[in-house]
Amino acid sequence: MNKNIAVIRGDGIGPEIVNEALAVLDTVGDIYGHTFNYTDVDMGGCAIDKWGEPLPDEMLEKCKNSDSVLLGAVGGKKWDTVPGHMRPEKGLLKLRAGMGVYSNNRPAKIWPQLADASPLRPSIVEQGIDFIIVRELIGGIYFGEHKTTEVNGEKQANDDMCYSESEIERIGRIGFETARKRGKKLCSVEKSNVLDTSRLWKSVMHRLAEEYPDVELSDMLVDNCAMQIVKNPAQFDVIVTENMFGDILSDEASMITGSIGMIPSSSLGSSTCGLYEPIHGSAPDIAGMDIANPIGTILSAAMMLRFSFDMSAEADAIEKAVYDVLEQGYRTADIMPGDEARCKKVGCHEMGQLIIKSLRGTKQ
Ligand code: IPM
Ligand code: MG
C-alpha cells in the first residue's frame, strides 16, 4: 500500500522522537511492502518563528489532504509570552478542529516490565491497569470564547464552556462502541453537581445507554474519578469525558502506568484521516540531548497503522518489538528503575534502533 503521511515534528523533543517513529515506519514499509510518503508540516513554535503564526492555513490543508498525520509535540518557554491566540498550542487546537477529530483515544495500560516504574503500591498495580480514556477533543472550554476585560478597575478573564447535545452524543457513541469491543464497562465522567454542561452530558449518556444494553454505564464525578484512578485503577475499562477533564485525567492515568513518555494517542473524526501523537509535551528542558523516550510516538505510529490504514499485523509487530526491547531490559531515562543492574539505559536514537532491530528479527 501507498500512504501519504503529514509529519509535524514541532518543537522541543518533537523532532527527535518523530525521526525515530519515521525510521520504524520505514522499516515496516520495507518488511511488509508498503510505501509511506512524508510531507513536512510546520506547526507550533517553529511555525511562529518561520511564518508568524502557529499553523498557517496551507499547513492545515496539507494535513487534511494526507492519509493521516503524525505529530511530535509543540510549545516551549520561548513562546510562553506571546498572546494567547498566537501560542504554539493554538496551532494544535486549530489542527484538531480543522481535521474534525473529535474523538481522542488515550490508553492507560501497564507494561509488565514497567510495573516497578509505577508510583502506585505493588498491591494496587497487581490488580491490573488497562483502561482507555475517550476524550472529547474539539469542544468545551478549549473552544469557547476566551477573553480578558477590565471590570471595576481590575482585569477579569472569561473562558466559556459549551456543549451541544449532538457533540455529546457523537463522543458518547464512541465511548459505548469502544467499551463494547472491550470489557463492556463505560464510566461517564463529569461534574454534574455543579455544571450545566455536565448535567446535559449525563442525560445524553443515559439516553444512549438504552441503545447499548450490553454495556454497563456508570457515572462518576471528575474529582472522585481523579481519586479512584490512583486508589483502584483496575475498576476502569473505558472512561468517556469532555475535553478538559480528559486532558487532566489522561496525564494522571499515564503516570500510574510508569511514564507519560510511553503513551500514544489517536484522534479521529468521521473519516479515516486521523491525528496520531504521544500525549506528552515538548519537554524543552531535555530537547536535543538524545534522552527523550520515543516509544509514545512509535506506538502512535502503530495506532495509525491499525486505525487509519487497516494494517493490524504491522501494528502488532511494532507493539511486539517494543515489548521485546523492554523485556531485554533496555530503558530510556524516564523509565529507568533505581536498580540499574537489571536494566540498560539507552538514548532516544538507540531506543529507536533497538525497536527496528527487533522488528526485523521478528519477521525473519
Ligand atoms: C494534550 C496537551 C494539549 C491539550 C495542549 C498542548 C494544548 O496537553 O494533548 O493533552 O491540552 O490538549
Ligand atoms: Mg494534556
Side-chain angles (χ1 to χ4, degrees):
M1 255 190 255
N2 210 326
K3 294 289 178 189
N4 297 318
I5 301 174
V7 176
I8 305 175
R9 288 182 172 76
D11 309 313
I13 57 170
E16 301 161 54
I17 53 179
V18 167
N19 285 345
E20 296 314 315
L22 296 185
V24 168
L25 280 175
D26 285 338
T27 309
V28 166
D30 193 27
I31 298 173
Y32 291 85
H34 304 303
T35 306
F36 299 117
N37 307 306
Y38 307 120
T39 305
D40 284 330
V41 169
D42 298 322
M43 186 180 93
C46 58
I48 297 175
D49 291 349
K50 199 163 155 189
W51 307 104
E53 52 178 312
L55 182 67
D57 290 343
E58 312 83 80
M59 296 291 159
L60 173 59
E61 281 312 303
K62 284 189 187 181
C63 293
K64 287 165 76 173
N65 294 330
S66 69
D67 291 316
S68 268
V69 181
L70 182 68
L71 161 66
V74 295
K77 276 217 162 42
K78 184 175 170 194
W79 306 280
D80 269 357
T81 48
V82 300
H85 69 282
M86 280 285 295
R87 286 185 63 98
E89 291 81 358
K90 267 283 174 207
L92 179 56
L93 301 189
K94 179 175 170 183
L95 177 68
R96 289 171 176 170
M99 291 179 68
V101 288
Y102 61 84
S103 167
N104 181 220
N105 176 327
R106 299 188 162 188
K109 185 174 176 168
I110 192 130
W111 292 75
Q113 301 92 339
L114 300 186
D116 54 5
S118 172
L120 297 184
R121 269 204 309 272
S123 61
I124 299 177
V125 176
E126 277 155 22
Q127 310 288 310
I129 303 175
D130 181 5
F131 63 96
I132 288 184
I133 297 183
V134 174
R135 169 187 176 195
E136 199 292 323
L137 201 59
I138 56 174
I141 200 163
Y142 275 53
F143 290 89
E145 192 189 356
H146 308 291
K147 64 174 188 217
T148 306
T149 48
E150 185 108 4
V151 178
N152 299 332
E154 61 173 349
K155 278 190 183 155
Q156 180 176 294
N158 253 75
D159 298 286
D160 279 349
M161 181 157 176
C162 172
Y163 269 109
S164 67
E165 277 184 284
S166 55
E167 281 176 298
I168 300 171
E169 179 168 337
R170 66 182 179 178
I171 191 69
R173 286 195 185 280
I174 303 284
F176 279 102
E177 299 289 342
T178 309
R180 185 169 259 178
K181 289 189 211 125
R182 295 175 41 104
K184 301 191 167 37
K185 272 170 53 186
L186 180 64
C187 180
S188 162
V189 172
E190 30 70 2
K191 187 73 185 171
S192 57
N193 53 350
V194 178
L195 302 176
D196 256 40
T197 42
S198 284
R199 288 189 270 271
L200 183 62
W201 179 278
K202 188 172 173 181
S203 74
V204 172
M205 291 298 155
H206 281 267
R207 171 162 60 74
L208 286 178
E210 290 169 22
E211 292 178 44
Y212 298 88
D214 52 323
V215 176
E216 181 197 318
L217 173 69
S218 59
D219 306 297
M220 198 178 273
L221 296 174
V222 63
D223 47 352
N224 183 28
C225 182
M227 183 176 77
Q228 295 297 333
I229 284 176
V230 288
K231 192 176 168 216
N232 176 16
Q235 72 185 284
F236 296 110
D237 178 25
V238 179
I239 288 174
V240 64
T241 192
E242 67 85 39
N243 204 345
M244 185 166 64
F245 297 161
D247 176 47
I248 299 167
L249 294 177
S250 61
D251 267 34
E252 187 191 11
S254 71
M255 197 55 224
I256 63 166
T257 70
S259 168
I260 194 168
M262 296 291 298
I263 311 289
S265 81
S266 67
S267 304
L268 284 155
S270 54
S271 80
T272 58
C273 176
L275 169 62
Y276 295 85
E277 50 174 321
I279 78 160
H280 61 71
S282 60
D285 50 323
I286 59 163
M289 293 165 70
D290 191 34
I291 58 172
N293 185 348
I295 295 180
T297 318
I298 291 170
L299 293 174
S300 300
M303 280 183 123
M304 174 188 291
L305 300 182
R306 188 183 304 285
F307 297 129
S308 286
F309 301 164
D310 209 12
M311 297 179 184
S312 38
E314 292 84 335
D316 288 347
I318 295 178
E319 286 163 7
K320 163 104 183 21
V322 170
Y323 184 95
D324 289 346
V325 168
L326 293 176
E327 191 66 23
Q328 288 155 24
Y330 295 105
R331 303 281 188 272
T332 42
D334 56 317
I335 48 174
M336 187 72 189
D339 162 17
E340 310 230 339
R342 257 185 327 110
C343 294
K344 183 171 181 315
K345 191 152 134 189
V346 296
C348 178
H349 181 60
E350 193 176 353
M351 180 54 92
Q353 288 297 309
L354 286 161
I355 291 167
I356 286 172
K357 199 169 145 212
S358 168
L359 254 176
R360 291 209 182 273
T362 315
K363 231 353 227 190
Q364 274 154 19

